[in-house]
């Protein structure tokens, strides 16, 4: 009897060990696999996606393509296994092949490869441009691909591009020369190369054809695509008849120092010729997509004017193009991130931020009443996709929350024959589970949220992240973390930078407040940061901290600290100038001087719009809300951090701040990241940053 009891107790003990939760570590955060956007086959049977497997040693990081049945009937399987990553995945119209861009052995630049999913075999390279190839798009008949390449100015042939590249490589001096603005973006210098649109037949001896070479459109100095963190994009879509393409581009990029950059939709014949503008006026358009029935063209659009922020909406243009685009989501100020059509072309589903979440909404394809598709949602959906030729509507997306790292899910099952009818929502069917086991072992709690009414009468939303082994009866210091943007919001989402639970791990309650200027609360709320860039938002953040302390007895109001990056760093530096309520501060990539930030950042005009003009003639807040003008008030110990390659909030801002702090003898510490830009993205740098943050907080809290 004794031995049986003893065995039972041992079993219970080991079972408890197996079920025991562990405190989150940097390894848990940084090494969590990153599941990319779902790309469904047109017939709705398969989903291709990328998986990035991070590593502290960057040479060991792996990113490959995977394939999973859209009905979840089998586990995902790896499609590629190469050193270089793949991007721009696109399915052929017959759902048999995929095209993507990658750089494989022997390639001097990224090229387009085609992989036969149905027949098997190795991926075959189909382009060989010295300037590389990206963003493949299948012609509707599956016999040709469109793609982009970045070429040298005036080079209309492959030979001309090679000659210019060789000539420049042979120069004995190294200098960047500019005559127009802009000259840099985020972390890289811009040059005079242009992005062009190409078409190549998929047949033996097929040659790439530059559709924009020699056109008046690209001859202007202001021509360009959309600048992204990874380079320039020229997003294009084939017209339903395969005879032309529609793309989004700008002609006034060189006016960026004194005007809004406007992106228009253009149509160009696949045989070549001068592109024709399809849109005009002060609205920008991007990411064109044709409806499955081919009778209309859609795109994301933003109004351009004298406001600090405009919501992104969905515009529709009948096809063949005639008249001006109609905004089908005009009745809502929800800002759209991406959208997709039901196969019968009757309904548009789209994603939009909403009070800390990213939700799915729907609207009739012709416009009309907009509604939330699945109320009472938790977490965030991203990268919504719907197979265009499936027998029924299948919604696919990435989904994650603060305690559930991202996976691909199948969202709903259509009830009835018409997509106008509602979905009956079941629990999301998870198609991948790359992070489930690791996440299940972590001791973390879902975010709590609350609202308060600010002294200005606004409804302000906040979320709380709680520490491991949380006990309502204990007292915990409060760490106020401020998001960047300012056109951004805190999201119920798993993040690597400023991971809420990793920050809370030593025993802090983390407060995440969406101040005026944040997105997800309507266009007007985001616009109201205009002429009040720092004081109003900072007051709301302080008030939210007061409300959290009042509402939750487990918060120790005598021990508070604040941290933030980018615009969050700006606000931390304003807290330094305006209050001594915090025991310690942490600012990464934060401005200290509104005026010098205007002159040295990679973008300047939007700052003028926010402030009512340049600092020599704009709103009084240029002076009244400039942190450096209040240097005599600096007293709170602060940790400063900046990347040497940050062109958005250049290093001069942090160096100015450091000089002031040293002059005022404020306890401070400076970290300069030699290999980082606006973000701290390298594994060991990130680990060191979190260590420094925790050491700084421990010292003062």
């Amino acid at each position: 009897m004794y031995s049986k009891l003893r065995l039972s107790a041992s079993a219970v003990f080991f079972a408890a060990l197996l079920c025991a939760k562990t405190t989150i570590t940097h390894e848990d955060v940084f090494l969590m696999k990153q599941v990319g956007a779902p790309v469904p086959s047109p017939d709705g049977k398969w989903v291709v996606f990328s998986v990035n497997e991070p590593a502290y040693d960057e040479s060991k990081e792996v990113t490959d393509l995977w394939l999973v049945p859209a009905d979840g009937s089998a586990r995902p399987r790896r499609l590629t296994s190469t050193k270089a990553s793949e991007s721009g995945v696109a399915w052929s119209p017959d759902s048999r092949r995929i095209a993507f861009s990658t750089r494989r052995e022997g390639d001097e630049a990224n090229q387009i490869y085609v992989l036969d999913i149905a027949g098997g075999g190795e991926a075959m390279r189909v382009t060989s441009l010295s300037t590389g190839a990206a963003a493949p798009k299948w012609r509707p008949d599956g016999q040709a691909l469109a793609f982009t390449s970045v070429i040298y100015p005036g080079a209309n042939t492959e030979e001309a591009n090679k000659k210019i590249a060789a000539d420049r490589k042979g120069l004995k001096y190294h200098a960047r020369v500019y005559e127009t603005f802009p000259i840099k973006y985020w972390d890289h210098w811009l040059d005079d190369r242009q992005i062009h649109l190409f078409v190549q037949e998929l047949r033996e001896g097929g040659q790439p054809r530059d559709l924009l070479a020699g056109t008046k459109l690209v001859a202007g100095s202001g021509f360009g695509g959309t600048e992204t963190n990874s380079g320039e994009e020229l997003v294009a879509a084939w017209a339903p008849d395969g005879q032309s393409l529609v793309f989004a581009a700008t002609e006034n990029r060189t006016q960026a120092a004194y005007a809004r950059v406007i992106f228009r939709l253009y149509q160009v014949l696949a045989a070549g010729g001068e592109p024709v503008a399809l849109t005009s006026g002060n609205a920008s358009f991007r990411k064109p997509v044709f409806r499955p029935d081919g009778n209309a063209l859609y795109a994301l659009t933003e109004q351009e004017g004298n406001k600090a922020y405009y919501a992104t909406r969905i515009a529709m243009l009948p096809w063949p193009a005639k008249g001006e685009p109609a905004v089908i989501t005009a009745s809502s100020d929800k800002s759209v991130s991406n959208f997709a059509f039901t196969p019968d072309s009757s309904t548009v589903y789209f994603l939009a931020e909403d009070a800390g979440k990213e939700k799915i909404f729907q609207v009739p394809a012709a416009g009309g009443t907009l509604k939330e598709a699945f109320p009472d949602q938790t977490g965030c959906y991203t990268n919504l996709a719907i197979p265009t030729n499936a027998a029924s509507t299948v919604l696919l997306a990435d989904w994650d929350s603060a305690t559930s790292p991202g996976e691909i899910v199948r969202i709903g099952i259509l009830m009835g024959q018409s997509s106008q009818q509602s979905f009956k929502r079941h629990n999301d069917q998870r198609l991948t589970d790359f992070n489930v086991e690791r996440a299940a072992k972590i001791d973390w709690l879902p975010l709590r949220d609350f609202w308060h009414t600010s002294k200005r009468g606004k409804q302000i939303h906040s979320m709380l992240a709680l520490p491991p082994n949380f006990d309502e009866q204990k007292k915990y210091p409060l760490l106020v973390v401020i998001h960047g943007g300012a056109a951004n919001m805190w999201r119920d989402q798993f993040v690597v930078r400023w991971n809420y639970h990793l920050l809370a791990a030593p025993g802090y309650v983390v407060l995440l407040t969406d101040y005026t200027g944040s997105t997800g609360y309507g266009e007007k709320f985001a616009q109201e940061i205009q002429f009040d860039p720092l004081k109003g938002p900072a007051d709301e953040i302080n008030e939210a901290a007061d409300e959290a302390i009042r509402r939750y007895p487990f918060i120790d109001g005598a021990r508070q600290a604040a941290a933030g990056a980018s615009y969050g760093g700006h606000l931390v530096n304003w807290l330094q100038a305006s209050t001594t309520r915090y025991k310690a501060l942490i600012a990464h990539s934060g401005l200290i001087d509104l005026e010098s930030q205007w002159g040295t950042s990679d973008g300047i005009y939007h700052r003028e719009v926010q402030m009512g003009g340049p600092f020599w003639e704009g709103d009084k807040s240029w002076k009244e809300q400039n942190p450096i003008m209040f240097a005599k008030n600096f007293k709170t110990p602060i940790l400063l951090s900046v990347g040497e390659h940050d062109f958005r909030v250049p290093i001069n801002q942090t160096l100015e701040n450091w000089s002031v702090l040293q002059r005022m003898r404020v306890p401070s510490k400076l970290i300069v990241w030699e290999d980082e830009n606006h973000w701290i993205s390298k594994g060991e740098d990130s680990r060191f940053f979190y260590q420094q943050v925790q050491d700084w907080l421990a010292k003062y809290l």
Side-chain angles (χ1 to χ4, degrees), residues 345-459:
S345 295
S346 66
T347 305
V348 178
Y349 285 86
F350 66 90
L351 297 178
E353 293 179 329
D354 186 25
K357 299 176 176 60
E358 190 162 359
K359 297 181 177 180
I360 302 175
F361 298 84
Q362 66 184 86
V363 65
T369 303
L370 180 152
K371 66 177 182 179
E372 187 175 338
F374 307 119
D376 303 321
Q377 170 206 316
T378 60
C380 290
Y381 290 108
T382 54
N383 304 312
L384 177 68
I386 300 175
T388 54
N389 298 329
S392 62
T393 300
V394 176
L395 271 68
L396 300 159
D398 293 300
W399 180 87
D400 67 340
S401 74
T403 55
S404 298
E407 303 285 359
I408 291 176
V409 295
R410 178 183 173 122
I411 298 165
I413 301 172
L414 192 65
M415 308 302 290
Q417 299 299 312
S418 170
S419 60
Q420 294 282 14
Q421 296 178 356
S422 298
F423 275 92
K424 179 181 179 183
R425 189 177 184 214
H426 303 279
N427 291 331
D428 290 348
Q429 180 183 3
R430 196 168 55 213
L431 300 184
T432 67
D433 58 359
F434 290 94
N435 298 304
V436 172
E437 183 178 351
R438 185 166 202 154
K441 296 177 181 178
I442 299 173
D443 179 9
W444 49 7
L445 294 171
L447 301 180
R448 295 189 185 184
D449 66 339
F450 67 91
W451 295 77
H452 82 276
T453 302
S454 74
K455 292 180 180 178
R456 297 190 290 183
K458 294 185 178 183
Q459 292 298 302

Side-chain angles (χ1 to χ4, degrees), residues 76 199 231 372 426 445 469 493 583 612 649 660 675 681 684:
V199 169
E372 187 175 338
H426 303 279
L445 294 171
N469 300 309
Q493 196 166 38
K583 299 294 186 183
V649 186
V660 170
D675 299 319
S681 57
E684 293 297 352

Side-chain angles (χ1 to χ4, degrees), residues 635-648:
K635 295 182 177 63
T636 306
I638 186 168
L639 171 65
L640 300 182
S641 168
V642 66
E644 281 194 30
H645 304 289
D646 187 350
F647 292 164
R648 180 56 51 95

Side-chain angles (χ1 to χ4, degrees), residues 267-314:
Q267 182 183 12
V268 63
L269 294 175
E274 189 65 36
V276 176
L278 302 179
T279 60
S280 59
N282 291 326
S284 275
F285 297 85
R286 55 191 174 90
K287 297 187 177 179
V289 181
F290 282 91
R291 204 167 61 194
D293 63 12
N295 293 326
L297 171 69
Y298 291 69
L300 295 177
T301 183
E302 296 95 23
Q303 186 60 41
E304 301 290 355
N306 60 2
K307 297 294 185 181
Y309 169 85
Y310 289 94
T312 301
R313 295 179 167 89
I314 303 174

Side-chain angles (χ1 to χ4, degrees), residues 191-211:
D191 58 30
D192 59 352
R193 291 178 298 169
Q194 292 181 321
I195 190 166
H196 280 207
L197 185 62
F198 287 73
V199 169
Q200 181 172 319
E201 300 283 338
L202 294 179
R203 55 177 172 77
E204 189 72 27
Q207 295 298 311
R209 181 169 61 255
D210 187 343
L211 303 188

Side-chain angles (χ1 to χ4, degrees), residues 503-652:
L503 291 170
Y508 305 126
V509 171
V510 174
L511 174 65
L512 311 163
T513 297
D514 285 337
Y515 50 85
T516 294
S518 302
T519 53
Y521 304 90
E523 189 174 58
K524 184 174 181 291
F525 186 86
Q527 289 175 342
E528 287 177 338
I529 197 172
Q530 196 168 20
F531 312 132
D532 184 19
L534 300 174
K535 184 181 185 305
D539 289 345
E540 291 165 350
I541 290 165
N542 293 334
E543 291 169 15
D546 291 338
E547 176 66 17
I549 293 166
R550 183 194 68 78
R551 185 179 297 219
Y552 301 106
F554 52 78
I555 296 177
D556 182 357
R559 292 183 291 164
Q560 300 179 59
S566 193
Y567 211 98
H570 306 353
L571 284 164
V572 166
N573 290 333
W574 178 253
L575 294 175
Q576 175 72 280
S578 60
T579 182
T580 55
R581 66 177 289 157
Y582 297 103
K583 299 294 186 183
L585 299 171
I586 300 165
H588 172 73
S589 292
L591 71 78
I592 189 65
D593 187 345
L594 286 170
E595 296 181 8
S596 61
Q597 167 70 358
W598 174 90
T600 56
S601 182
D602 57 353
I604 62 176
Y605 182 67
H606 69 283
R607 302 179 193 281
E608 291 185 27
V609 172
Q610 171 138 326
M611 306 294 279
F615 63 84
W616 57 88
E617 60 183 37
D619 188 77
K620 59 184 180 180
S621 55
W622 275 113
K623 299 291 185 185
E624 294 179 355
Q625 297 193 33
N626 193 356
I628 202 169
M629 301 299 292
F630 300 88
K632 66 178 182 180
N633 298 335
F634 288 16
K635 295 182 177 63
T636 306
I638 186 168
L639 171 65
L640 300 182
S641 168
V642 66
E644 281 194 30
H645 304 289
D646 187 350
F647 292 164
R648 180 56 51 95
V649 186
I651 192 172
N652 66 289

Side-chain angles (χ1 to χ4, degrees), residues 444-501:
W444 49 7
L445 294 171
L447 301 180
R448 295 189 185 184
D449 66 339
F450 67 91
W451 295 77
H452 82 276
T453 302
S454 74
K455 292 180 180 178
R456 297 190 290 183
K458 294 185 178 183
Q459 292 298 302
I460 303 298
H461 178 242
S462 298
M463 297 187 292
L464 289 181
L466 303 173
N469 300 309
F470 177 69
D471 184 347
E472 293 266 359
Q473 305 307 312
K474 291 184 178 180
K475 287 280 191 179
Y476 299 92
L478 183 66
L479 174 58
V480 177
V481 185
I482 309 171
H483 73 66
N488 197 357
M489 74 170 187
W490 285 122
R491 302 159 70 93
D492 181 8
Q493 196 166 38
F494 179 83
V495 292
V496 176
R497 294 188 292 268
W498 299 98
N499 182 274
Y500 321 139
H501 290 94

